[in-house]
C-alpha cells in the first residue's frame, strides 16, 4: 500500500536528496488544500452542502443514525496525520507522532500484547480493538504501513519496526512474531516501508531497496522463489518509493520510472485472472513518468507528474477505473475529470484524493468500501452479481481529504484537512474504529477517540 509521509516537527527537513521532491510535493499539497478557500467561503460552501447532504443521509441509510456519518467535516475533532489499512485492521499516526491501531489482533498485528475485546461470532471469536489504541508509548513515528496480518512503521530516528504475523519472515526476521516489535536491521536509516500480504519492502535513506518475507511468486525480486530475510533488490536507479501488494511489488525510481515484479497479470480466461511469476524487477511497459505508485491485489495504479491517474493489470471489479472490466498489461487512464495527488489500490477497489481535496473510490462495493450509498451505484460486476463502479465516484460527504487509504481487505479510511479520521466498509473485526464490530457501513463514519492501554 501507499504510505503518506509526515513531516514531523522534530524530523530533519530533508531525509535524502532523492526524496526531497516527493516530500516537498506532499507538504505543498497539504498547504494548498488547507488554504484553498477563505474561512468565510469554506463556511458558506459547507453550510449550503449540509442541507442537501443531510436530506440524502436521512433516506439512504435509514437503519444507521445520520449523526454518525461525516456529511460535513467536524470542526477540530482530532489531529490525525496519516492512516493505513490492512486486511482486517487499521493504524494511524497523530501529528504528535503517536501511533494507534485497531481491528483484529489475532496475529498481534495491532502491536498490543493484550486487548480485552472480542470480535466475530461465538464460534470464531478473535481478540480485537474497536477504537484506536496507542501502541509503543513514548515513541514518535513518521509513517506506518498495514499489511494483511502484520504492520511496519518508521520512527523519527529513521528506525523501522515490524510486528504481527511472521509465518514467512515478513516482520524482518525468522522469530515467532506476534505483538512484539522487531527492529529491521540496517546500517543506515529507513525512508519508507510497505507491508504486503506476507512480505515487506523498504527504501533506505540512500535510495537502496530491500525486501523480505514470502517469495512464492517472486515478490521479493531476488530472482528465485526462496523466502529470505532482508535482501537488497537491484534496480537501475535509486528508489523513491515502494509498494508491496498481495503477491507482487512495484517501485518508483527518483526519475519516475516504475518497475514491478512478482505475480504479474497476463489475461483473463473465463472467471479466472491469470498471472505469471516475474522474478526480477521489470519496467512497466508504456508507463509515463510517475509521481506515485500503489499496488493492491492484482491491480496497480499511479499518477503521472500532471496528476493524471493510471491503473493496469486485473480489472474484474472495475478497480482500474477505466469504465469497463477489461484488464490491461500497460497503464490505462482512469476516467476522471480531475487530477490526483494520492492513490491507493486495494484487494478489489481503488481510491484517491483529487487535487481539489475531494475523495473518490471505484471498484467493488460489496461491503460499502467505496464510501457511497448503494443508490449511487448503477453497475454490477462479477457476472452481474456484485455492486461496483467501473469509474471513480465521489466519496459521500465531500470532505476535504489529505489521503484515502484502502488495502487487502474490504474497508477504507481517510484523513481530512481538519485532521479528522473516517472509515467505512466492512467492520466485523472492529477495523473501522467506530466502537463497533458490526458488518458493513456504506458511508464514512467518524473514528472514535483513541484509548491508551
Amino acid at each position: 500500500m501507499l504510505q503518506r509521509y509526515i513531516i514531523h516537527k522534530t524530523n530533519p527537513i530533508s531525509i535524502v536528496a532523492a526524496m526531497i521532491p516527493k516530500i516537498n510535493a506532499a507538504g505543498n499539497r497539504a498547504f494548498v488544500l488547507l488554504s484553498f478557500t477563505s474561512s468565510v467561503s469554506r463556511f458558506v460552501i459547507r453550510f449550503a452542502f449540509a442541507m442537501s447532504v443531510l436530506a440524502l443521509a436521512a433516506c439512504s441509510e435509514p437503519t444507521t443514525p445520520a449523526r454518525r456519518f461525516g456529511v460535513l467535516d467536524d470542526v477540530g475533532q482530532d489531529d490525525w496525520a496519516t492512516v493505513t489499512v490492512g486486511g482486517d485492521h487499521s493504524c494511524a499516526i497523530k501529528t504528535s507522532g503517536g501511533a494507534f491501531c485497531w481491528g483484529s489482533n489475532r496475529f498481534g498485528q495491532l502491536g498490543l500484547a493484550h486487548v480485552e475485546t472480542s470480535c466475530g461470532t461465538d464460534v470464531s471469536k478473535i481478540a480485537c480493538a474497536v477504537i484506536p489504541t496507542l501502541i509503543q508509548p513514548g515513541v514518535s513515528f513518521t509513517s506506518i504501513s498495514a499489511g494483511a496480518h502484520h504492520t511496519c512503521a518508521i520512527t523519527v530516528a529513521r528506525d523501522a519496526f515490524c510486528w504481527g504475523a511472521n509465518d514467512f519472515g515478513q516482520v524482518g526476521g525468522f522469530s515467532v512474531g506476534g505483538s512484539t516489535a522487531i527492529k529491521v536491521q540496517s546500517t543506515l536509516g529507513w525512508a519508507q516501508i510497505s507491508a504486503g500480504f506476507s512480505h515487506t519492502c523498504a527504501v533506505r535513506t540512500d535510495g537502496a531497496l530491500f525486501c523480505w518475507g514470502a517469495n512464492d511468486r517472486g515478490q521479493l525480486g531476488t530472482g528465485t522463489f526462496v523466502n529470505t530475510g532482508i535482501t537488497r533488490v537491484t534496480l537501475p536507479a535509486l528508489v523513491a518509493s515502494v509498494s508491496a501488494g498481495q503477491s507482487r511489488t512495484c517501485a518508483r525510481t527518483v526519475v519516475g520510472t516504475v518497475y514491478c515484479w512478482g505475480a504479474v497479470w497476463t489475461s483473463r480466461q473465463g472467471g479466472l485472472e491469470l498471472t505469471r511469476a516475474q522474478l526480477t524487477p521489470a519496467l512497466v511497459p508504456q508507463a509515463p513518468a510517475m509521481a506515485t505508485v500503489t499496488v493492491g491485489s492484482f491491480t496497480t495504479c499511479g499518477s503521472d507528474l500532471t496528476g493524471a491517474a493510471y491503473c493496469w493489470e486485473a480489472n474484474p471489479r472495475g478497480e482500474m477505473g477505466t469504465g469497463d472490466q477489461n484488464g490491461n498489461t500497460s497503464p490505462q487512464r482512469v476516467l476522471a475529470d480531475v487530477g490526483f495527488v494520492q492513490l491507493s489500490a486495494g484487494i478489489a477497489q481503488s481510491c484517491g484524493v483529487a487535487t481539489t481535496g475531494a475523495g473518490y473510490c471505484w471498484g467493488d462495493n460489496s461491503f460499502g468500501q467505496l464510501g457511497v450509498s448503494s443508490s449511487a451505484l448503477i453497475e454490477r460486476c462479477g457476472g452481474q452479481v456484485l455492486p461496483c463502479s467501473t469509474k471513480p465516484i465521489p466519496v459521500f460527504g465531500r470532505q476535504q481529504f489529505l489521503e484515502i487509504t484502502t488495502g487487502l481487505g474490504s474497508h477504507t479510511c481517510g484523513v481530512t484537512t481538519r485532521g479528522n479520521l473516517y472509515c467505512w466498509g466492512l467492520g466485523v473485526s472492529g477495523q473501522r474504529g467506530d466502537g463497533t464490530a458490526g458488518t458493513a457501513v456504506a458511508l464514512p463514519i467518524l473514528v472514535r477517540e483513541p484509548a491508551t492501554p
Side-chain angles (χ1 to χ4, degrees):
M1 311 321 121
L2 182 67
Q3 294 79 47
R4 181 180 181 83
Y5 286 90
I6 304 171
I7 304 178
H8 195 273
K9 63 182 180 181
T10 59
N11 246 2
I13 294 176
S14 172
I15 297 171
V16 62
M19 302 298 292
I20 289 176
K22 180 176 182 180
I23 295 174
N24 284 346
N28 290 339
R29 285 197 295 269
F31 174 78
V32 170
L33 291 174
L34 286 167
S35 60
F36 185 73
T37 60
S38 69
S39 58
V40 174
S41 299
R42 186 184 296 115
F43 173 78
V44 172
I45 292 171
R46 292 182 181 278
F47 180 80
F49 185 69
M51 301 302 101
S52 59
V53 162
L54 288 172
L56 178 59
C59 60
S60 62
E61 293 289 338
T63 61
T64 306
R67 64 180 176 81
R68 299 178 65 197
F69 294 103
V71 293
L72 292 176
D73 202 7
D74 294 337
V75 178
Q77 175 72 19
D78 253 318
D79 58 348
W80 297 104
T82 187
V83 65
T84 180
V85 167
D88 51 9
H89 74 293
S90 309
C91 296
I93 300 176
K94 293 260 190 171
T95 55
S96 61
F100 298 77
C101 291
W102 60 96
S104 172
N105 198 41
R106 177 180 298 190
F107 303 98
Q109 61 262 53
L110 301 188
L112 301 171
H114 175 72
V115 291
E116 297 181 355
T117 309
S118 294
C119 297
T121 64
D122 291 337
V123 295
S124 60
K125 289 289 187 181
I126 60 171
C128 67
V130 295
I131 61 175
T133 305
L134 180 66
I135 62 172
Q136 300 290 314
V139 180
S140 291
F141 292 90
T142 61
S143 63
I144 192 165
S145 175
H149 305 298
H150 73 293
T151 308
C152 297
I154 295 177
T155 70
V156 172
R158 313 317 304 169
D159 293 323
F161 293 89
C162 295
W163 55 90
N166 196 38
D167 44 340
F168 296 99
Q170 58 264 46
V171 301
F174 294 99
S175 60
V176 176
S179 60
T180 301
I182 305 298
K183 185 175 181 179
V184 181
Q185 298 300 321
S186 174
T187 55
L188 295 175
W190 297 101
Q192 186 240 336
I193 196 165
S194 180
F197 191 86
S198 296
H199 75 293
T200 307
C201 294
V203 182
R204 210 166 56 183
T205 53
D206 61 352
L209 175 65
F210 295 81
C211 293
W212 57 92
N215 198 31
D216 58 304
R217 298 292 287 164
Q219 56 264 48
L220 300 187
T222 58
T224 73
F225 289 110
V226 179
N227 302 342
T228 70
I230 303 169
T231 304
R232 182 162 184 175
V233 182
T234 302
L235 274 84
L238 296 178
V239 176
S241 66
V242 65
S243 181
Q246 181 168 326
S247 297
R248 58 195 314 274
T249 310
C250 292
R252 181 179 63 88
T253 71
V254 293
V255 295
T257 53
V258 174
Y259 292 81
C260 295
W261 57 96
V264 177
W265 183 88
T266 58
S267 63
R268 179 189 301 161
Q269 291 187 8
L272 299 177
E273 304 296 325
L274 303 183
T275 64
R276 62 178 176 83
Q278 175 66 43
L279 301 185
T280 57
L283 187 67
V284 175
Q286 303 175 36
M290 291 288 188
T292 65
V293 65
T294 172
V295 180
S297 181
F298 294 106
T299 303
T300 304
C301 297
S303 57
D304 67 13
L305 302 180
T306 70
Y310 295 82
C311 293
W312 60 99
E313 298 191 296
N315 193 30
R317 303 289 183 265
E319 53 264 63
M320 280 176 52
T322 52
D324 53 40
Q325 298 171 53
N326 302 320
N328 204 298
T329 56
S330 60
Q332 303 297 303
R333 184 74 177 265
V334 174
L335 294 182
D337 57 1
V338 294
F340 287 87
V341 296
Q342 181 258 335
L343 293 168
S344 178
I347 193 168
Q349 67 279 340
S350 304
C351 295
V353 176
T355 53
T356 61
Y360 290 84
C361 290
W362 56 96
D364 182 37
N365 197 46
S366 299
F367 299 96
Q369 60 265 50
L370 300 190
V372 298
S373 66
S374 58
S375 60
L377 298 172
I378 58 174
E379 298 180 78
R380 294 279 173 174
C381 295
Q384 303 301 310
V385 174
L386 303 175
C388 71
S389 176
T390 60
K391 295 177 290 187
I393 295 180
V395 173
F396 180 83
R398 299 186 183 275
Q399 299 93 337
Q400 293 286 292
F401 286 97
L402 287 175
E403 68 172 350
I404 295 178
T405 305
T406 189
L408 297 173
S410 297
H411 71 292
T412 305
C413 297
V415 176
T416 71
T417 57
R418 289 182 183 267
N420 292 318
L421 179 57
Y422 295 86
C423 292
W424 54 93
L426 193 63
V428 292
S429 298
Q431 60 264 53
R432 286 195 308 265
D434 60 359
T436 71
T439 52
V441 170
L443 305 180
I445 187 169
L446 195 66
V447 171
R448 288 274 299 275
E449 286 292 325
T452 55

